[in-house]
Amino acid sequence: LLPFRLICYTQNDMLSSKPLRMEASECTRQYFPNRSPDPECMLSTMPGIRLRPRLPERPQKILFIRTGPNSLDYRSFIRDTWKAQVEPFAPIVFVCANGATDITPEADQYGERLVGNHAFHRCTRLNQTLDRAELMLPAVKQQLFLDMLQFDFADSYHNLSLKMMAIYGFVMNELPTVDDIIVTNDDTIVNATALAQLFPTGRSGSWMIGKVSRGYPRLFMSWLPWHVPGEMYANLCYPRFTQVSSS
């Protein structure tokens, strides 16, 4: 792709550090002049939810981890390592869609494991026997924050955009108190200290943190999984956009 990137670096309007347009609607008209909203676009509809997380009341931040239904090993590693360090800052929710693996038993098993740990700690503090603590398990289980969100569509690489839009829709429709959405992948290790230093930002309105990328060509080769046809985006190069390493 190097030759195409060199060509893109000759297009000054795509490289400028100044805002391309002040309003999002103006940007849309400039870069997609012949397109209008498609009412049947899948990204415009909210997919069904098969499994919901149980979250604290009125959360302000949530860390969503994109994962696949078969990636139990990744989720287990996160739960056993850095998840507990991040959750005082923001609750963690694993997000997947449908696949060959049923994740409901995993959610139940993880909930049961947390219940057992919680009951044991209560038993230690209150000098109770473990048998008596186990009698309290049904009440304790209702207080658990289950960490799985599963949407009702096929989980695949080509549906990543749908997964992201579904995450945004879930927050906007059901979690009005959330101000900050943090998204990463299940193959990423999150540094809780560094993450906390990003907030509060002092910013107002809508904003995004990430790497500003310039000089990226549109991949017009139809055999590539990232192919974008000219009917969708007519320019050879993309304008500046924000990305992060885990997206």
Side-chain angles (χ1 to χ4, degrees):
L1 298 178
L2 181 59
F4 298 107
R5 294 205 65 180
L6 292 176
I7 294 174
C8 287
Y9 274 104
T10 66
Q11 302 190 10
N12 294 332
D13 58 329
M14 299 290 188
L15 302 176
S16 174
S17 60
K18 297 180 180 179
L20 300 174
R21 290 291 185 272
M22 297 306 297
E23 297 292 337
S25 58
E26 295 178 359
C27 277
T28 301
R29 285 193 296 269
Q30 176 177 351
Y31 292 102
F32 304 95
N34 301 318
R35 298 192 67 194
S36 57
D38 182 0
E40 298 183 0
C41 177
M42 289 182 60
L43 300 181
S44 301
T45 60
M46 183 66 190
I49 298 177
R50 300 189 61 183
L51 187 64
R52 294 175 179 272
R54 188 174 297 132
L55 297 167
E57 292 186 7
R58 304 180 63 82
Q60 295 183 328
K61 301 176 179 66
I62 296 183
L63 172 57
F64 291 98
I65 302 177
R66 297 185 304 190
T67 184
N70 300 331
S71 300
L72 173 60
D73 51 345
Y74 284 89
R75 293 190 290 273
S76 297
F77 173 80
I78 292 172
R79 288 167 177 150
D80 292 337
T81 55
W82 57 264
K83 183 174 185 283
Q85 301 173 19
V86 174
E87 285 197 312
F89 173 77
I92 290 177
V93 176
F94 294 98
V95 184
C96 69
N98 296 334
T101 301
D102 182 7
I103 66 170
T104 305
E106 174 195 345
D108 292 340
Q109 179 182 6
Y110 181 61
E112 293 290 350
R113 186 176 69 169
L114 282 181
V115 169
N117 292 340
H118 188 91
F120 177 76
H121 292 314
R122 290 188 63 179
C123 168
T124 302
R125 288 198 305 269
L126 300 178
N127 293 322
Q128 296 170 322
T129 65
L130 186 58
D131 291 339
R132 184 177 177 186
E134 288 174 344
L135 296 177
M136 299 185 293
L137 292 187
V140 174
K141 188 171 184 178
Q142 296 303 315
Q143 302 172 9
L144 289 179
F145 299 152
L146 302 184
D147 61 358
M148 299 292 296
L149 171 62
Q150 184 181 30
F151 293 109
D152 193 10
F153 59 84
D155 198 303
S156 68
Y157 180 86
H158 290 282
N159 278 342
L160 282 178
S161 295
L162 180 57
K163 183 182 289 187
M164 283 303 308
M165 295 302 293
I167 291 173
Y168 295 146
F170 172 73
V171 172
M172 290 188 290
N173 293 336
E174 302 192 18
L175 301 171
T177 62
V178 171
D179 294 325
D180 302 307
I181 302 173
I182 309 161
V183 181
T184 187
N185 290 337
D186 59 7
D187 58 355
T188 301
I189 296 177
V190 174
N191 184 320
T193 302
L195 181 63
Q197 290 175 349
L198 296 176
F199 302 88
T201 63
R203 298 177 177 88
S204 60
S206 300
W207 51 272
M208 181 180 294
I209 293 179
K211 174 182 177 290
V212 177
S213 299
R214 301 177 177 87
Y216 276 73
R218 173 174 62 85
L219 300 181
F220 53 83
M221 293 77 83
S222 59
W223 62 87
L224 293 174
W226 312 278
H227 165 243
V228 176
E231 296 80 11
M232 181 179 295
Y233 181 75
N235 296 316
L236 174 63
C237 306
Y238 292 122
R240 291 178 299 117
F241 63 94
T242 302
Q243 66 172 342
V244 293
S245 60
S246 61
S247 293

